[in-house]
Amino acid sequence: MISDSPGRQTAGAIVSSCNVSARQGDIRMIRDPLIPRLVSTTEAADILGMARSHVHRLVTEGKLPAAHAGSSIVLAEETVRRYKAGERFSLPSQLRVSVYDESADGWTIVRTVPVGPEYVLPTRFPADEYDIEDGVSWRVELVDVTGKTMKVAHPVT
């Protein structure tokens, strides 16, 4: 198995091999079929037929979903294969509900709600749905996972 660091197994190898290292006593584990097989950026590059740096760039640009396992970046093997087959992924986003705090002279986030990448920001928001008191200035922002504001709605108070 290819390793990102000499002398160490990749995170994908650790998760999918079901063996704990010899230093931990070679305990045999049963692989949980509900946990997807994880691969490192090096393994993903091999699957995709591209350079490891290009896979890393796809991950950092949000074009290929990944996660951190300690200091390693891991990807679901199935996701990598779907990307290779032509599927493209969008960044998920969230609604950020904020109220205006006059003492701080700025907006304070009171609630975040995750939404899918295809979510369309409605023009009207009921204040009672977000537990907003009458007479308080508030707004709803649609932000991506990097924190960039994509759209803002200023509901009537």
Side-chain angles (χ1 to χ4, degrees), residues 37-48:
R37 183 175 187 287
L38 301 177
V39 295
S40 66
T41 52
T42 303
E43 292 169 305
D46 289 343
I47 292 168
L48 295 170

Side-chain angles (χ1 to χ4, degrees), residues 68-101:
H68 283 278
S71 60
S72 299
I73 295 175
V74 294
L75 303 92
E77 181 182 33
E78 178 64 24
T79 302
V80 174
R81 295 201 182 281
R82 287 170 43 200
Y83 187 87
K84 183 178 182 178
E87 186 174 344
R88 296 301 178 253
F89 304 93
S90 300
L91 286 173
S93 51
Q94 63 181 343
L95 288 179
R96 184 183 293 163
V97 181
S98 304
V99 295
Y100 190 75
D101 183 358

Side-chain angles (χ1 to χ4, degrees), residues 97-149:
V97 181
S98 304
V99 295
Y100 190 75
D101 183 358
E102 291 184 17
S103 62
D105 194 28
W107 294 97
T108 303
I109 299 169
V110 294
R111 187 170 177 195
T112 57
V113 180
V115 294
E118 296 85 24
Y119 180 82
V120 177
L121 190 67
T123 56
R124 304 191 79 193
F125 291 91
D128 59 342
E129 185 177 319
Y130 295 103
D131 300 324
I132 305 296
E133 299 173 12
D134 289 336
V136 175
S137 295
W138 62 293
R139 70 180 185 184
V140 179
E141 297 173 272
L142 181 63
V143 296
D144 65 15
V145 291
T146 63
K148 179 182 171 190
T149 300

